[in-house]
Amino acid sequence: MTANTLTDVFEEHRPVLTGVAYRMLGRIADAEDVVQEAWLRWSSVEREGVREPRAYLVRITTRLAIDRLRHVQSRREAYVGAWLPEPVVTDFGPSVPDTAERAVLAESVSLAVLVVLESLSPLERAVFVLREAFGFPYAEIAATLDRTEAAVRQLAGRAKRHVEERKPRFDVDPVARRDLTERFLAAASGGDLEQLLALLAPDVRLVSDSGGKSKAPRRVIETADKVGRFLIAVGREPSADMEFRLAELNGGVAVVILTNGRPDTFFQVDIRDGVIQCVYLVRNPDKLAGMPTA
């Protein structure tokens, strides 16, 4: 296999490898490190014996991601405040034309699902990601994890039950979500508490992630009144250098707030029954570097 062919094969499968690693780790930098390590191993292996490059590369990436996840879990235990996954731009492109497949991919990368995946063991998370997000056969997952197919099926069933029990039931209609996001932004930035409260579920939650590096609540804020008043208070501090951008992030519309042209805040809402059930707010600068600015 020539150097060019070697690179071409890896680049062909890079989107899947990155997708697996991100869903496993919840951080772009960690995912990129894992994919880079997979490349190094791919570039030095005796590839004549590799009959299925995609399966081989997914196997390497998954195992590396499991090792990395075990390492970072202890780091997250000492994290200041709530921990949220790093927002990621999602553009599945023409390679995923089917609406049903797009919906599955979008949900698997949503903040709500990724937060729940944090409570799975590394092996359970790997099985769930490979099976539910990418549809890998049980036999292939078993080979990837060096487990029996029966053991993988058991892990898959346990992981899926765990996620279904804890995953909030949100509406995913993109048009409704965009409309509600725009009205939410207008009410919050315009200081219209009455209108804002009309958009919030009574038991709405606001989860913010600053990592202790920016000003943001370190505890989850609950109830419409408390969330609404917090957002109105924040909205009263606008800056002439502040801009708002709508973007497709983590499978749905989100808002990126720029200050002096640099990403300062990310927020996204989840809705059910026409009202906002959860607001995710990320202000940790380490998690905003990849946000769109135009």
Side-chain angles (χ1 to χ4, degrees):
M1 189 179 293
T2 66
N4 286 342
T5 303
L6 173 68
T7 302
D8 291 343
V9 169
F10 189 86
E11 290 304 319
E12 177 187 352
H13 300 298
R14 181 185 287 273
V16 171
L17 305 182
T18 302
V20 169
Y22 173 75
R23 287 166 176 79
M24 283 290 296
L25 297 163
R27 284 207 63 189
I28 297 169
D30 288 332
E32 289 177 344
D33 286 348
V34 162
V35 173
Q36 178 62 23
E37 180 62 26
W39 159 252
L40 293 175
R41 297 195 182 192
W42 169 248
S43 63
S44 61
V45 74
E46 292 293 335
R47 287 167 300 284
E48 288 73 12
V50 178
R51 296 181 180 180
E52 299 181 11
R54 181 175 184 267
Y56 179 83
L57 289 168
V58 169
R59 185 180 308 132
I60 293 175
T61 301
T62 302
R63 291 180 178 181
L64 288 170
I66 289 173
D67 291 342
R68 176 65 67 95
L69 183 58
R70 287 170 174 158
H71 174 72
V72 300
Q73 279 179 332
S74 60
R75 187 174 68 199
R76 290 176 189 173
E77 290 175 0
Y79 197 78
V80 178
W83 186 93
L84 288 174
E86 180 178 355
V88 63
V89 176
T90 46
D91 180 8
F92 302 123
S95 61
V96 189
D98 182 69
T99 301
E101 186 177 353
R102 280 177 178 266
V104 170
L105 285 171
E107 183 178 25
S108 72
V109 80
S110 70
L111 295 183
V113 168
L114 291 176
V115 167
V116 175
L117 293 187
E118 285 294 303
S119 58
L120 296 177
S121 72
L123 276 179
E124 289 173 337
R125 186 164 182 166
V127 171
F128 184 88
V129 168
L130 293 175
R131 180 64 184 172
E132 299 300 323
F134 294 96
F136 282 92
Y138 288 113
E140 192 168 334
I141 298 173
T144 295
L145 300 178
D146 196 21
R147 296 290 192 278
T148 66
E149 187 172 335
V152 165
R153 287 180 179 274
Q154 188 175 40
L155 284 166
R158 187 162 62 237
K160 188 172 183 178
R161 286 192 300 272
H162 181 95
V163 172
E164 290 298 327
E165 288 170 359
R166 291 162 178 76
K167 182 184 69 175
R169 269 53 175 186
F170 294 133
D171 298 334
V172 294
D173 179 74
V175 175
R177 190 173 183 178
R178 186 180 186 90
D179 175 67
L180 200 55
T181 297
E182 291 176 341
R183 288 191 286 143
F184 171 83
L185 177 59
S189 60
D192 190 338
L193 179 59
E194 182 178 354
Q195 178 60 31
L196 186 59
L197 291 175
L199 302 175
L200 302 176
D203 58 348
V204 64
R205 301 167 69 246
L206 184 145
V207 185
S208 58
D209 177 344
S210 69
K213 299 181 179 182
S214 299
K215 185 178 179 181
R218 295 188 180 181
R219 295 178 180 272
V220 176
I221 301 177
E222 299 179 314
T223 77
D225 183 67
K226 290 181 180 178
V227 170
R229 293 186 184 280
F230 167 77
L231 291 169
I232 292 297
V234 172
R236 289 190 181 126
E237 303 174 3
S239 166
D241 299 320
M242 186 179 293
E243 301 175 69
F244 299 90
R245 295 279 187 271
L246 290 179
E248 182 76 15
L249 301 164
N250 290 83
V253 66
V255 177
V256 179
I257 302 176
L258 309 175
T259 301
N260 294 319
R262 301 181 64 180
D264 175 85
T265 304
F266 154 95
F267 77 77
Q268 190 172 55
V269 301
D270 278 319
I271 65 175
R272 187 178 69 242
D273 301 327
V275 290
I276 295 170
Q277 300 288 335
C278 189
V279 181
Y280 298 106
L281 181 71
V282 177
R283 298 209 66 222
N284 184 340
D286 296 340
K287 297 183 178 182
L288 297 173
M291 294 295 92
T293 58

